[in-house]
Amino acid sequence: MTHTLPDLIPNTELVLPPQAERKLSNGLTVIAIRRAAVPLVEVRLRIPFGRAPLGAATLLSQALFTGTGSMSMLDIAAELQAVGGGLGAGLDPDRLQISGNALADGLGRTLEILAGVLTDAAYPGEEVVTERERLVDNIQVALSQPAHLARVALLKRMFVDHPYAVQTPAAEEVRAVEPETLRELHADRVRPAGSILVLVGDIDPEQAIDVAEKMLGGWSGAAVDGGIPPTPALRPGALLLVDRPGSVQSSLRIALPALTRTDPDYAALSLANLLFGGYFSSRWVENIREDKGYTYGSHSVIEHFAAGSALVAAADVATEVTGPSLLETTYELGRIASLPPGEEELEQARRYALGTLRLGMSTQAGLAGLATVYAGFGLRLDFLREHSAALAAATGEQVAAAAAKHLAPSRAVTVVLGDAEKIEAQLAALTVVERSAR
Amino acid sequence: MASRIQIPATKYPVERFTLANGLRVVLAPDRSAPVVGVAVVYDVGIRSEPEGRTGFAHLFEHLMFQGSANLEKLAHFRHVQGAGGSFNGSTHLDYTDYFEVLPSGALERALFLEADRMRGPRLTEENLRNQVDVVKEEIRVNVLNRPYGGFPWLKLPSVMFETFPNAHDGYGSFEDLESATVADAQSFFDKYYACGNAVLSVAGDFDVAEATAMIERHFGDVPARPAPLLPAFDEPDLTAERRESYTDRIAPLPAVAAAYRVPDPIAAFDAYLPFSVLAEVLTDGDASRLVERLIQRDRSVTNVGGYLGFMGDEYQVRNPTALLLQAHMPPGGDAGKVLRTVDEELDRLVADGLQPGELERTQARMGARLLQGTDEVLGRALPMAVLELQRGRPELLNELPKLISEVTAEQIVTAAATLRPERRAVVEVLPGAGA
């Protein structure tokens, strides 16, 4: 019997799940989506938080659930747990995001507890001090991680003095934050206006919104303007070398210009990114991992912030082949920016892009994540349909043009973190190297 | 206190059959989203590595992606991703898995790809050298170049266990990896990658009759080879505490982990399951005992976690295994003091029992997490494959929420009473990065 590759059965049309949306009178937008496969509900709440003081905002995200006027930290955790629930908060440069889930029958109770936290958070002194010390310890651990250090250096190099340039507070900055500062920040910024609540799960969308309205309708107050100026254009220049003595690998990070999701050329750029380094079957992975064994993995991704988008490429490579890894990376960027992609290669990337959109919406958590991220940019799930159509329609010429414009090595901002003594000469043979001052 | 909430279970239908060549198959159809998950697990893992070949099971996992009977190198990746899917594999103590998640129209392609490498991977010198290099970079990025790398899963087994299968480093030494040969790989494949030693499972959007026909078509002619005899890996429990420490040259703060042997996860499942709930009572969230005491009250740790199985694979591991507790500490933290407090809290649990509502809320949260896991097609295909492989009971995945909700307070107390200092293995991380 011969063994030949079976054909693919074409994808059925993209079906969006049943959903509802309502803007409450307090300014909170609620989006509810039904996916009933398991009796759970996913909860996401995004609150605009741009330009908030970094140390205080980061600590607020960690101390948000430490108590209210009527509940202790333990009460909050225990009562959420009792309905199979859990909530946590995180911060990015644009937003405070609360995320969690619960058994579907526990939706009302979960939102009731959440409302208590939003309207009546107490930031008790003892608990805040504990969270502050934990945060300081976590920052110290982060500063020992190569991935974090490389990210810090890259952000600084990309954004210079824009608010996005620093996304992790210094330990001293956190140590100086008092509980009262958190109460003030909460009063100013944790507000329903402009915030978005997304609920996904085994729910009736309209009824779920009714529950949200009942529980969160009393959350009130206007928010201050958290708008952030557009990100500056990347300024390519010398490769920035950050010394990490004794490092047994070099962390290579490259930023390139990108487009927002709604730009007419975005689908073409997405495909160009996949071809270069955006998935395992990309040229970059096939070259520096599967051909040369320089790295365990390399990956490039288009990152979107409220004030701008960028393409970031990352690989951790063996110290002794740091120069050769940069050489191959520059070669692959130059190749995709200069030559049109092959037809089969492009179709493969296109099918991957279309398929992973479906995979991403096949779970409650995946749908909640997509809907929440999109909503943060003023988009709704039907953007999936538009984006799919754009991916299906993008031509090889458009992909080549997007690559020429955005992926050219001359546009790259490059940072390498590693043992400078061992890698500086390797890198200097290929490009101008500047040592990080630290 | 809220009234007790019902913990719902999943009801995924499960079909099982065995092909003439000995390959066991599990099907779990669910048409709620147009995606399928395909998993193949082989009954071989880190514990079956030959001495002098540490890390070999994992290295071999890499070689399974390097081309097969009818496919060139790189083809596997391209065919899965070119069908809109994702793939991966992972090596555990007791099994190695390979899996894809794809749009449902690509099911047959995934079956073809898995069948092709079950017939035989392309084991060439060039691919072996390439993947030894890749695995070395994997170890550097995950262990050597990162603070707390491999803590505690690579560091505790050698303290707790005596025999090579249980005690050695599953990522392997560079020396062992570099000395691996194509002949080693071929004999490893011949011995362990037999269809009689594997389970295929498919979960998600498919028709059972059609999928069964496809499976026959692609796997039916894989030559029958029996499973090798599975050795017993058991060894005696500790009778005195064992404590070791090591300096992590890039870690800025101290850390500690302790492990206690638990009952046989398969032969004594009824006795094992309460330990799973106990780990959550101790460490799940701000209302749990050790978080409340060690973090909130004493401030002696920065974070604390508790779980079963060195790789957190609590229902996918064989005997012997352990309940693990791990904690990171603030500057100057004292591991001895942390462990004494753990003993105190366990004593208190044994003496006073659980608080009203404590068990129910822990069970509710565990139920919710199980549901979230099974919402993903691979969250069904993978555990069901391993449950079939190790227990012949893939449907146990559906039953877990109910079984967990039936664990009693008495069973938790009985389990807690066994976590004595003289039965534990401890490893401390000493910060080497000038904290």
Side-chain angles (χ1 to χ4, degrees), chain A residues 3 9 35 42 81 84 101 126 130 134 137 144 244 248-249 279 281 286 289-290 296 351 364, chain B residues 66 73 78-79 81-82 105 119 130 137-138 145 147 221 249 296 299 302 361 365 368 372 375:
Chain A
H3 296 283
I9 298 165
R35 172 172 159 79
E42 294 286 335
Q81 219 182 12
N101 61 15
E126 288 277 307
T130 302
R134 293 176 74 192
D137 287 351
S144 67
R244 184 173 181 259
V248 297
Q249 271 183 328
Y279 72 147
S281 300
E286 291 189 354
R289 173 178 152 134
E290 291 299 303
Y296 175 52
R351 286 191 302 264
Q364 292 177 352
Chain B
Q66 296 289 305
K73 180 178 163 98
R78 290 175 179 173
H79 288 315
Q81 296 196 312
R119 275 182 208 101
N130 169 245
E137 291 316 302
E138 179 176 354
N145 208 38
D221 70 345
R249 69 180 177 84
Q296 302 303 330
R299 295 189 194 164
T302 303
R361 60 182 164 80
R365 186 66 192 146
Q372 196 184 30
D375 191 25

Side-chain angles (χ1 to χ4, degrees), chain A residues 64-324:
Chain A
L64 186 60
F65 294 94
T66 51
T68 67
S70 58
M71 293 174 95
S72 68
M73 182 176 196
L74 198 147
D75 293 336
I76 294 170
E79 296 270 312
L80 285 170
Q81 219 182 12
V83 293
L87 292 172
L91 186 79
D92 69 32
D94 299 314
R95 290 176 187 86
L96 177 70
Q97 177 162 320
I98 296 167
S99 304
N101 61 15
L103 295 170
D105 288 346
L107 174 63
R109 184 67 183 136
T110 301
L111 294 181
E112 187 182 2
I113 294 166
L114 175 60
V117 168
L118 295 170
T119 59
D120 193 24
Y123 300 101
E126 288 277 307
E127 284 80 351
V128 168
V129 169
T130 302
E131 293 307 317
R132 192 168 70 194
E133 286 171 15
R134 293 176 74 192
L135 180 55
V136 167
D137 287 351
N138 288 339
I139 290 169
Q140 201 178 339
V141 170
L143 293 177
S144 67
Q145 286 166 342
H148 179 82
L149 292 171
R151 176 82 181 170
V152 165
L154 183 70
L155 289 171
K156 189 82 191 130
R157 191 85 168 68
M158 290 167 71
F159 297 118
V160 196
D161 51 9
H162 186 272
Y164 291 164
V166 180
Q167 301 187 6
T168 314
E172 310 80 66
E173 206 178 336
V174 171
R175 278 200 192 98
V177 179
E178 294 299 330
E180 187 52 32
T181 316
L182 298 186
R183 288 178 208 122
E184 285 164 14
L185 182 62
H186 188 110
D188 277 354
R189 301 300 302 267
V190 181
R191 292 293 164 215
S195 296
I196 299 158
L197 175 68
V198 172
L199 305 172
V200 180
D202 188 4
I203 52 173
D204 174 289
E206 288 292 348
Q207 281 174 15
I209 295 179
D210 290 343
V211 173
E213 183 153 30
K214 183 174 162 219
M215 297 301 173
L216 293 168
W219 180 31
S220 64
V224 302
D225 174 23
I228 290 184
T231 53
L234 296 178
R235 285 179 244 172
L239 177 151
L240 183 72
L241 173 58
V242 186
D243 191 18
R244 184 173 181 259
S247 206
V248 297
Q249 271 183 328
S250 300
S251 304
L252 174 61
R253 302 289 184 271
I254 295 173
L256 290 154
L259 299 167
T260 60
R261 284 192 188 81
T262 49
D263 191 286
D265 294 330
Y266 178 65
L269 179 64
S270 302
L271 292 168
N273 173 57
L274 289 179
L275 294 172
F276 161 67
Y279 72 147
F280 199 93
S281 300
S282 67
R283 296 171 177 191
W284 198 25
V285 176
E286 291 189 354
N287 183 338
I288 68 170
R289 173 178 152 134
E290 291 299 303
D291 185 47
K292 303 199 176 64
Y294 291 166
T295 183
Y296 175 52
S298 62
H299 191 65
S300 64
V301 63
I302 300 174
E303 297 184 1
H304 301 281
F305 294 104
S309 302
L311 191 151
V312 173
D316 292 85
V317 303
T319 297
E320 61 271 23
V321 292
T322 305

Side-chain angles (χ1 to χ4, degrees), chain B residues 283-320:
Chain B
T283 62
D284 177 38
D286 290 335
S288 66
R289 290 187 173 230
L290 293 182
V291 172
E292 205 264 324
R293 172 75 195 269
L294 294 169
I295 297 178
Q296 302 303 330
R297 189 134 45 103
D298 294 358
R299 295 189 194 164
S300 57
V301 311
T302 303
N303 56 58
V304 59
Y307 50 94
L308 297 189
F310 288 86
M311 301 175 78
D313 39 10
E314 57 184 336
Y315 308 118
Q316 284 128 41
V317 67
R318 290 197 179 102
N319 195 53

